[in-house]
Amino acid sequence: MADDTTTPIARDKMGRYHRTPEAIARDAEAAHLYFEVRLSYRQIAEHFGWKNHTSALQAVNRALRDVAEPTKELRDRRDCELQFLWDAAMDIYNQRHIVVSHGQVAKMNGEPIEDHSPKLQALEQMRKINAEWRKLHGSDAAVKADVTVHEVTQQDLELQEMIREAKAHTQAEEQQILDGGTDG
């Protein structure tokens, strides 16, 4: 069953579903509302009458995929948003958090007990922000490798051994010359 952001859909001759031009335009408008007007996903969902914010998120993501490569301006804006989120998470991580129980600061041996939960939550958010940043900049893209396979034969191994022996012999002769003697 299609979500509420892809209705109207159409089928091609092979029976596959495709988004109609109306759905594509609506997704583009959702992206405009998110990036330009700065509405939240929940506000976008309400604007279109969708059931929840996930539908708005999916519409914005489809609109971004429709663009072959996001423009530098959109990428830079998203980069700034991610930097803001990173800085906010880092601020939370760097603060000292204490345990409060029943409205009172919890203490052990007269010292406030430190609460590590906010720091761990901040680290988790930073991990997610980092993943988004890597996606935005293509750091997780597959790496193409040019590999050449060379079969090593017994003759190759014998040649390598002859070269090693010749180098060792030459080095011994050079050392003998440097030592000033010739045994001939």
Side-chain angles (χ1 to χ4, degrees), residues 126-141:
M126 291 165 70
R127 184 189 65 76
K128 291 176 181 178
I129 293 164
N130 187 8
E132 286 295 315
W133 187 88
R134 289 191 325 263
K135 279 191 251 178
L136 181 67
H137 292 283
S139 300
D140 288 345

Side-chain angles (χ1 to χ4, degrees), residues 14 16 24 33-34 45 60 64 68 81 84 90 93 109 115 121 127 129-131 133 135 137 143 145 151 162 176 182:
M14 301 297 289
R16 294 175 295 211
I24 292 169
L33 291 172
Y34 180 75
V60 170
L64 289 175
E81 290 172 355
F84 173 80
M90 186 60 84
Y93 179 80
N109 300 329
D115 185 2
Q121 291 171 355
R127 184 189 65 76
I129 293 164
N130 187 8
W133 187 88
K135 279 191 251 178
H137 292 283
V143 177
E151 183 179 341
M162 289 172 58
Q176 190 176 16
T182 57

Side-chain angles (χ1 to χ4, degrees), residues 26-151:
R26 191 179 52 231
D27 291 346
E29 184 181 352
H32 169 76
L33 291 172
Y34 180 75
F35 288 110
E36 299 297 326
V37 181
R38 312 291 291 163
L39 293 183
S40 69
Y41 291 124
R42 191 165 314 285
Q43 291 169 318
I44 295 169
E46 289 171 6
H47 173 78
F48 286 107
W50 295 333
K51 294 176 187 171
N52 57 47
H53 72 283
T54 305
S55 298
L57 171 67
Q58 292 169 343
V60 170
N61 286 337
R62 278 193 304 272
L64 289 175
R65 279 194 307 268
D66 288 341
V67 179
E69 182 162 322
T71 64
K72 181 168 177 18
E73 181 182 325
L74 286 176
R75 186 179 289 124
D76 289 347
R77 181 176 291 144
R78 184 66 176 146
D79 210 16
C80 287
E81 290 172 355
L82 292 173
Q83 184 63 51
F84 173 80
L85 293 172
W86 180 271
D87 292 343
M90 186 60 84
D91 286 344
I92 291 169
Y93 179 80
N94 287 327
Q95 291 176 2
R96 183 170 184 231
H97 304 278
I98 55 175
V99 175
V100 176
S101 177
H102 303 291
Q104 300 291 320
V105 173
K107 295 184 178 184
M108 180 181 285
N109 300 329
E111 294 292 319
I113 299 172
E114 196 162 336
D115 185 2
H116 298 287
S117 179
K119 286 189 175 199
L120 294 173
Q121 291 171 355
L123 285 172
E124 177 62 18
Q125 290 305 312
M126 291 165 70
R127 184 189 65 76
K128 291 176 181 178
I129 293 164
N130 187 8
E132 286 295 315
W133 187 88
R134 289 191 325 263
K135 279 191 251 178
L136 181 67
H137 292 283
S139 300
D140 288 345
V143 177
K144 185 177 179 180
D146 187 13
V147 178
T148 303
V149 177
H150 177 72
E151 183 179 341

